[in-house]
Amino acid sequence: LQANVPTPNRDTEFSARLAHQFGDKHSAYAQYSYEEWTGQNQGVGGQTLASAAYNGLWHEDDTVVHVDSTLSPILLNQFSVVGEHTQNRHTNVVEAPRVYVSGDFSGGSAQSDYLSTEYNFRINDMVTWTRGHHTLKFGAGAPHLSRRAYNDNTNALGSYTFGPTLNDDGSIAASALENYINDRPSAFSQNTGDTHFIYHQQEMGAFIQDQWKINDRFSITSGIRYDWQNFLAEKRLGFVPRVSFAYVIDEDSKTVVRGGGGIYYDRFGSGPILDLVRYEGARRRAIHVSLDPASEPATGCVPVSDCTELSEQPANLAQLAPNAAIPYQMQYGLSIERQIGEKATAVVSAY
């Protein structure tokens, strides 16, 4: 089967900025950005039929206020505030159970209906202070102070999987397509329970670093950073050191050796937080039932509307490991730079 399915989409973006200089010491700007994307019949292609398509919507509003202040000839302050609103929606083109026929097609319905909204507030402030051979930078910020809502109607009508039936010797007794024609599924899954979830993602951090220019040929920069997340059970804090250096070997050829290393904490993102809200207390139940299409009649609940034991099946759960900690990476490297002529520079690096 070959078929063309129209997938029209539209992307609208615009932004506006107002900037102003307040005397000799202060400048500021405010900016608003808008984006909205819509797409129809998404997810179709390969063995996925048009009935399993969904319509998508992405909308984002961003407002930024940034202020630069030269408080003195050696002191600079940079402050910014960001407000964000995003919305992401999927709606099924067809409302019906999803059907997977192994090796042949996927159809019925997308069963990916959901609505995700986010209100996020970011704030950041950094100070740069220059004194003699030292340039000191320190600051603090909150990359995420967000309230998120998720309406989960994914797989609400269920999904049937049809696979082949094998003989004792491993040969195929009935293909997946034959089992589909005879209404003999091998598995069924469905999400039930609560559909509306509210959760919060909060992250904060602070740092301080000192760039020390020991002489005209050698400088070293050292610093430390602190990160925090709101939902980890045992280890919410993270202090990490960082250091780098630059040494001019030959001023005539401008040959410079640079190196450094440090520890960098990662962020979990919102996915694990949402899974904990939905599945830790089984508020949202993801139920999977294995069926035997070779039996007569097929064991299990087929059709599901006739199943009185589905609510008694154990639900999949998500739990936070008691020793969960913020993941981190150790990164370090060394490079040599040398100017070649007046317009080129060669660099050899190892990381």
Side-chain angles (χ1 to χ4, degrees):
L1 170 67
Q2 291 184 343
N4 291 328
V5 178
T7 59
N9 63 80
R10 178 188 297 272
D11 185 23
T12 304
E13 301 181 34
F14 71 84
S15 63
R17 173 183 287 203
L18 176 64
H20 187 72
Q21 180 77 33
F22 298 90
D24 296 332
K25 294 185 177 181
H26 305 281
S27 64
Y29 70 84
Q31 178 173 309
Y32 170 75
S33 301
Y34 170 95
E35 179 180 3
E36 182 168 287
W37 177 90
T38 59
Q40 299 181 17
N41 293 327
Q42 302 298 297
V44 178
Q47 293 181 322
T48 303
L49 304 183
S51 61
Y54 64 87
N55 297 329
L57 166 69
W58 169 264
H59 179 91
E60 180 173 356
D61 300 283
D62 294 326
T63 303
V64 181
V65 176
H66 182 88
V67 180
D68 290 325
S69 300
T70 305
L71 304 178
S72 74
I74 62 173
L75 189 62
L76 172 66
N77 186 81
Q78 297 173 294
F79 174 79
S80 62
V81 177
V82 179
E84 297 177 326
H85 165 251
T86 62
Q87 184 181 88
N88 188 16
R89 180 194 296 270
H90 283 185
T91 55
N92 302 321
V93 173
V94 176
E95 293 296 345
R98 180 100 184 202
V99 175
Y100 299 95
V101 180
S102 178
D104 288 284
F105 69 90
S106 175
S109 171
Q111 283 302 294
S112 63
D113 192 355
Y114 73 86
L115 171 62
S116 174
T117 58
E118 175 186 345
Y119 294 91
N120 189 43
F121 179 76
R122 301 181 185 180
I123 185 170
N124 184 72
D125 189 74
M126 185 177 69
V127 177
T128 302
W129 179 58
T130 304
R131 179 85 176 198
H133 294 283
H134 295 268
T135 299
L136 188 68
K137 291 186 178 182
F138 57 91
H144 278 289
L145 294 173
S146 64
R147 176 191 182 274
R148 302 180 180 223
Y150 193 83
N151 292 337
D152 186 359
N153 288 292
T154 59
N155 204 26
L157 297 180
S159 299
Y160 291 94
T161 299
F162 295 84
T165 304
L166 303 180
N167 295 314
D168 293 339
D169 59 1
S171 60
I172 297 179
S175 68
L177 188 59
E178 290 173 330
N179 284 330
Y180 166 71
I181 294 173
N182 294 312
D183 293 329
R184 304 179 69 82
S186 56
F188 175 78
S189 66
Q190 186 178 31
N191 294 340
T192 62
D194 294 347
T195 59
H196 183 65
F197 305 93
I198 301 292
Y199 62 104
H200 297 82
Q201 182 175 352
Q202 299 173 357
E203 301 170 1
M204 300 180 185
F207 79 97
I208 183 171
Q209 73 173 39
D210 179 25
Q211 183 179 14
W212 179 21
K213 189 176 181 180
I214 299 176
N215 53 46
D216 292 338
R217 301 177 62 178
F218 182 64
S219 66
I220 185 170
T221 302
S222 59
I224 190 170
R225 181 175 177 84
Y226 164 86
D227 287 291
W228 176 88
Q229 289 186 330
N230 66 311
F231 73 100
L232 290 178
E234 296 294 332
K235 186 177 180 182
R236 299 185 178 186
L237 313 180
F239 285 96
V240 290
R242 298 172 187 176
V243 63
S244 63
F245 71 91
Y247 178 64
V248 179
I249 298 178
D250 186 351
E251 295 182 354
D252 294 334
S253 63
K254 296 183 180 180
T255 303
V256 183
V257 177
R258 303 180 189 275
I263 300 175
Y264 298 82
Y265 276 108
D266 200 358
R267 299 189 179 104
F268 269 77
S270 62
I273 308 176
L274 176 59
D275 284 344
L276 290 173
V277 172
R278 288 188 295 179
Y279 300 124
E280 188 173 32
R283 293 179 57 194
R284 187 69 173 163
R285 294 169 57 87
I287 300 172
H288 300 267
V289 180
S290 295
L291 308 174
D292 184 6
S295 62
E296 187 63 46
T299 57
C301 306
V302 183
V304 178
S305 58
D306 296 337
C307 177
T308 59
E309 301 177 355
L310 189 59
S311 60
E312 301 176 3
Q313 298 295 327
N316 287 353
L317 299 177
Q319 294 180 327
L320 183 66
N323 60 343
I326 302 175
Y328 67 90
Q329 295 180 343
M330 297 181 63
Q331 299 182 10
Y332 50 89
L334 183 69
S335 68
I336 300 177
E337 303 176 5
R338 182 182 178 91
Q339 184 172 332
I340 302 175
E342 297 181 354
K343 298 182 179 180
T345 301
V347 181
V348 178
S349 303
Y351 297 95

